[in-house]
């Protein structure tokens, strides 16, 4: 890495305090100036204090959506490199994140090497990526449909459950399970 890293300012928006601390320490060792916050309520103050040029945003911030943070960060600085991290990856949320200004989207678990590579790869694609010829499983289709509906509802679980025709608790249970 070049000495230019010493000038990089990273904002981490992550509600898991232990993960945020670990990630912050790792990036500090790489020469980044780092501020970590737990959610959207602290965003404006952190941006004014740090003036970040990089951001890592968790998709789910308690009851809030990280997509609101992505949208706000992109509005503040369209050149900011924003990586969205999630344990609940779906095509719908990836598309929404990119539309709102994210430059990359990674599934957890991701480490600082993965995130830094995502910062560097921002704005580039790989046309040689292998296309999967296997049909999409019913489980994956359901997961994608649920997440598309969630995105359409602004991540309001009650409204998404209503639109999907299922009980809110059933939807919450499905969202609580890890999709592999």
């Amino acid at each position: 890495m070049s000495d230019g890293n010493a000038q990089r300012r990273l904002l981490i928006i992550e509600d898991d305090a232990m993960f945020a601390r670990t990630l912050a320490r790792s990036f500090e060792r790489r020469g980044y100036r780092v501020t970590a916050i737990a959610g959207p309520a602290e965003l404006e103050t952190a941006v004014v204090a740090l003036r970040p040029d990089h951001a890592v945003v968790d998709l789910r911030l308690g009851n809030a959506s990280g997509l609101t943070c992505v949208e706000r960060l992109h509005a503040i600085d369209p050149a900011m490199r924003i990586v969205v991290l999630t344990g609940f990856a779906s095509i719908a949320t990836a598309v929404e994140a990119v539309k709102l200004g994210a430059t990359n989207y990674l599934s957890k678990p991701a480490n600082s090497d993965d995130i830094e590579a995502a910062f560097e790869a921002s704005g580039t694609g790989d046309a040689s990526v292998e296309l999967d010829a296997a049909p999409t499983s019913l489980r994956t289709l359901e997961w994608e449909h649920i997440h598309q509906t969630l995105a359409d509802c602004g991540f309001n679980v009650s409204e998404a459950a209503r639109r999907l025709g299922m009980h809110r608790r059933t939807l919450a249970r499905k969202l609580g399970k890890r999709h592999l």
Side-chain angles (χ1 to χ4, degrees):
M1 289 291 159
S2 69
D3 290 336
N5 278 354
Q7 304 306 312
R8 292 183 177 182
R9 296 170 310 277
L10 172 65
L11 178 61
I12 298 172
I13 307 172
E14 170 64 62
D15 60 344
D16 179 340
M18 186 176 293
F19 180 66
R21 244 187 335 270
T22 302
L23 203 55
R25 285 186 194 133
S26 180
F27 276 99
E28 285 168 348
R29 283 192 299 271
R30 293 167 186 255
Y32 287 77
R33 185 170 145 211
V34 180
T35 297
I37 62 174
E42 306 164 63
L43 183 63
E44 297 300 324
T45 304
V47 167
V48 169
L50 182 64
R51 292 181 353 269
D53 49 16
H54 292 75
V56 174
V57 181
D58 188 12
L59 184 63
R60 290 178 97 183
L61 299 165
N63 293 329
S65 168
L67 293 179
T68 60
C69 296
V70 171
E71 182 177 40
R72 183 67 189 120
L73 290 169
H74 183 69
I76 291 167
D77 181 3
M80 186 182 306
R81 293 176 183 233
I82 304 167
V83 172
V84 173
L85 287 182
T86 184
F88 303 91
S90 74
I91 292 171
T93 55
V95 168
E96 290 304 314
V98 170
K99 282 182 182 178
L100 292 170
T103 49
N104 225 316
Y105 182 97
L106 297 175
S107 295
K108 288 181 179 177
N111 59 35
S112 53
D113 289 334
D114 299 331
I115 295 166
E116 194 162 48
F119 285 146
E120 298 304 320
S122 295
T124 62
D126 182 3
S128 67
V129 71
E130 195 170 317
L131 300 177
D132 187 4
T136 305
S137 72
L138 185 57
R139 183 175 171 199
T140 300
L141 287 172
E142 177 189 43
W143 185 256
E144 293 295 332
H145 182 64
I146 287 170
H147 279 274
Q148 180 60 55
T149 304
L150 268 172
D152 292 345
C153 296
F155 294 89
N156 179 322
V157 175
S158 296
E159 177 61 18
R162 187 187 67 70
R163 288 185 188 183
L164 291 166
M166 66 175 64
H167 195 280
R168 185 188 184 290
R169 286 186 194 145
T170 302
L171 179 57
R173 234 182 348 266
K174 286 180 179 285
L175 292 171
K177 293 180 180 177
R178 289 229 183 240
H179 176 71
L180 302 175

